[in-house]
Amino acid sequence: PPAVVRCRARKHAAELHALHEDYGLNYVGLNKDDFVTMRIADNLSVRVAKTVLNSDFRVSLALPKLVGSSYYCAVANLAAGSVIASGKAAARNDKIRLLSSKHRDAAIAEVLKVVRPSLAVIDGFESAIGGKCVVTNLCAASSDAVAADVVAAAALGKVLKKKIPKQKYLEACSKAGLGQSSFSKISIVS
């Protein structure tokens, strides 16, 4: 599973309350939300938060994470974020079971089919690299979360001066028709 690293969280936490006050936004603890049980790859059942399922417009605002050669960003953020976690024990935590499944890549694609983001925004001004917060000064946004992740991974690799391998879960999402994982087929506009 992706490492949990908090970058700039304390600095911006108070600003979320201002958004609530200014715009009347409601915050929902998805782990305590009503859910729909979804059977996915490898006979794995996960609980998906109804608030996410019933949303008209989903935004995956993600921080790039690189743990070894595993890259996680907008796609994994929404797929895993919409799944209910009831505790630290793997038997009760659907996120852990999803991300540690031997068919993880197909499972992420299955979840993404029902919780596909309308917009992916990748805030890579700071990125979580090997459990540390690193200034990387990159960002990407797209209505295609798979393409946004592919572009952000390439940009992150360039900043770190290392090649980030293709991620199988992004390729599984692309094969399922959920976005473009081939860098050569993505148009980049700056």
Side-chain angles (χ1 to χ4, degrees), residues 3 6-7 10-11 52 54 60 63 66 75 77-78 110 122 129 143 151 158 173 175 178 180 183:
R6 305 250 185 252
C7 296
R10 289 188 185 141
K11 180 179 167 185
V52 177
N54 295 333
S60 181
L63 176 89
L66 185 63
V75 169
N77 182 57
L78 191 60
E110 286 298 312
I122 298 172
I129 311 297
S143 58
V151 169
K158 196 166 191 158
C173 289
K175 285 180 185 170
L178 301 170
Q180 182 56 256
F183 191 85

Side-chain angles (χ1 to χ4, degrees), residues 28-50:
V28 177
L30 295 178
N31 289 327
K32 295 179 182 174
D33 198 16
D34 290 335
F35 58 86
V36 171
T37 301
M38 192 178 147
R39 185 171 294 273
I40 54 178
D42 196 26
N43 289 323
L44 175 68
S45 291
V46 294
R47 296 163 293 157
V48 179
K50 274 193 176 179

Side-chain angles (χ1 to χ4, degrees), residues 2-9 63-67 126-134:
V4 176
V5 177
R6 305 250 185 252
C7 296
R8 296 191 286 156
L63 176 89
K65 296 171 193 75
L66 185 63
V67 180
E126 293 176 341
S127 299
I129 311 297
K132 295 180 182 172
C133 190
V134 177

